[in-house]
Tab-separated table of all heavy atoms in Angstrom:
chain	number	residue	atom	x	y	z
A	145	ASP	N	62.326	43.674	48.226
A	145	ASP	CA	63.785	43.659	48.153
A	145	ASP	C	64.365	44.907	48.796
A	145	ASP	O	65.368	44.856	49.494
A	145	ASP	CB	64.262	43.568	46.704
A	145	ASP	CG	63.964	42.213	46.065
A	145	ASP	OD1	63.779	41.247	46.815
A	145	ASP	OD2	63.911	42.160	44.845
A	149	PHE	N	66.702	46.663	53.381
A	149	PHE	CA	67.814	47.559	53.653
A	149	PHE	C	67.454	48.661	54.642
A	149	PHE	O	68.327	49.348	55.163
A	149	PHE	CB	68.348	48.172	52.368
A	149	PHE	CG	68.969	47.159	51.440
A	149	PHE	CD1	68.244	46.614	50.399
A	149	PHE	CD2	70.275	46.750	51.624
A	149	PHE	CE1	68.810	45.658	49.562
A	149	PHE	CE2	70.855	45.790	50.786
A	149	PHE	CZ	70.111	45.264	49.753
A	150	ASP	N	66.150	48.814	54.958
A	150	ASP	CA	65.688	49.841	55.883
A	150	ASP	C	66.323	49.632	57.255
A	150	ASP	O	66.299	48.533	57.804
A	150	ASP	CB	64.169	49.827	56.019
A	150	ASP	CG	63.454	50.297	54.769
A	150	ASP	OD1	64.123	50.853	53.876
A	150	ASP	OD2	62.237	50.117	54.701
A	151	GLY	N	66.910	50.670	57.802
A	151	GLY	CA	67.509	50.608	59.133
A	151	GLY	C	68.846	49.898	59.199
A	151	GLY	O	69.420	49.762	60.281
A	156	SER	N	76.465	44.215	51.631
A	156	SER	CA	77.503	43.454	50.963
A	156	SER	C	77.253	43.608	49.488
A	156	SER	O	76.131	43.385	49.013
A	156	SER	CB	77.453	41.972	51.361
A	156	SER	OG	78.498	41.269	50.711
A	163	THR	N	86.669	36.861	34.912
A	163	THR	CA	86.514	35.409	34.872
A	163	THR	C	85.130	34.962	35.352
A	163	THR	O	84.797	33.793	35.270
A	163	THR	CB	87.560	34.741	35.776
A	163	THR	OG1	87.339	35.161	37.145
A	163	THR	CG2	88.977	35.058	35.341
A	172	TRP	N	79.485	50.649	53.966
A	172	TRP	CA	78.455	51.534	54.473
A	172	TRP	C	77.669	52.027	53.283
A	172	TRP	O	78.218	52.206	52.182
A	172	TRP	CB	79.086	52.727	55.150
A	172	TRP	CG	79.269	52.615	56.624
A	172	TRP	CD1	78.339	52.167	57.525
A	172	TRP	CD2	80.418	52.942	57.378
A	172	TRP	NE1	78.863	52.217	58.799
A	172	TRP	CE2	80.123	52.705	58.733
A	172	TRP	CE3	81.663	53.469	57.043
A	172	TRP	CZ2	81.035	52.957	59.746
A	172	TRP	CZ3	82.563	53.703	58.052
A	172	TRP	CH2	82.255	53.449	59.383
A	173	PHE	N	76.396	52.312	53.468
A	173	PHE	CA	75.594	52.820	52.374
A	173	PHE	C	74.530	53.782	52.896
A	173	PHE	O	74.213	53.801	54.091
A	173	PHE	CB	74.923	51.692	51.590
A	173	PHE	CG	73.722	51.100	52.300
A	173	PHE	CD1	72.446	51.510	51.980
A	173	PHE	CD2	73.899	50.166	53.313
A	173	PHE	CE1	71.349	50.990	52.648
A	173	PHE	CE2	72.805	49.643	53.987
A	173	PHE	CZ	71.541	50.045	53.670
A	186	GLY	N	88.217	55.614	44.110
A	186	GLY	CA	88.035	55.444	42.665
A	186	GLY	C	89.000	54.481	42.015
A	186	GLY	O	88.743	53.994	40.906
A	197	ASN	N	81.990	45.478	34.355
A	197	ASN	CA	80.694	44.778	34.388
A	197	ASN	C	79.825	45.413	35.470
A	197	ASN	O	80.037	45.140	36.647
A	197	ASN	CB	80.897	43.300	34.660
A	197	ASN	CG	79.606	42.535	34.754
A	197	ASN	OD1	78.512	43.079	34.545
A	197	ASN	ND2	79.679	41.270	35.093
A	198	PRO	N	78.870	46.260	35.110
A	198	PRO	CA	78.054	46.945	36.119
A	198	PRO	C	77.008	46.066	36.809
A	198	PRO	O	76.347	46.526	37.733
A	198	PRO	CB	77.381	48.074	35.320
A	198	PRO	CG	77.346	47.589	33.934
A	198	PRO	CD	78.568	46.699	33.767
A	211	VAL	N	76.110	38.204	55.782
A	211	VAL	CA	74.866	38.588	55.106
A	211	VAL	C	73.670	38.257	55.999
A	211	VAL	O	73.584	37.178	56.555
A	211	VAL	CB	74.759	37.895	53.735
A	211	VAL	CG1	73.404	38.122	53.092
A	211	VAL	CG2	75.889	38.393	52.818
A	220	ALA	N	75.219	48.733	39.000
A	220	ALA	CA	75.999	49.776	39.624
A	220	ALA	C	76.497	50.781	38.594
A	220	ALA	O	76.649	50.462	37.415
A	220	ALA	CB	77.190	49.168	40.362
A	222	VAL	N	79.297	54.406	38.413
A	222	VAL	CA	80.334	55.184	39.079
A	222	VAL	C	80.132	56.654	38.692
A	222	VAL	O	80.075	56.981	37.517
A	222	VAL	CB	81.764	54.721	38.653
A	222	VAL	CG1	82.827	55.595	39.288
A	222	VAL	CG2	81.947	53.269	38.982
A	223	ASP	N	79.998	57.520	39.706
A	223	ASP	CA	79.821	58.954	39.471
A	223	ASP	C	80.947	59.668	40.189
A	223	ASP	O	80.940	59.786	41.407
A	223	ASP	CB	78.468	59.428	39.990
A	223	ASP	CG	78.219	60.907	39.706
A	223	ASP	OD1	79.149	61.606	39.221
A	223	ASP	OD2	77.113	61.378	39.976
A	236	LEU	N	75.959	60.093	53.342
A	236	LEU	CA	76.666	59.186	54.245
A	236	LEU	C	77.044	59.866	55.556
A	236	LEU	O	76.935	59.276	56.629
A	236	LEU	CB	77.894	58.596	53.574
A	236	LEU	CG	77.570	57.528	52.523
A	236	LEU	CD1	78.801	57.198	51.681
A	236	LEU	CD2	77.043	56.287	53.174
A	241	GLY	N	77.576	59.738	60.421
A	241	GLY	CA	78.150	60.687	61.355
A	241	GLY	C	79.663	60.674	61.345
A	241	GLY	O	80.289	60.567	60.310
Side-chain angles (χ1 to χ4, degrees):
D145 290 339
F149 294 97
D150 291 348
S156 181
T163 62
W172 265 314
F173 76 98
N197 177 4
V211 172
V222 177
D223 183 353
L236 286 168

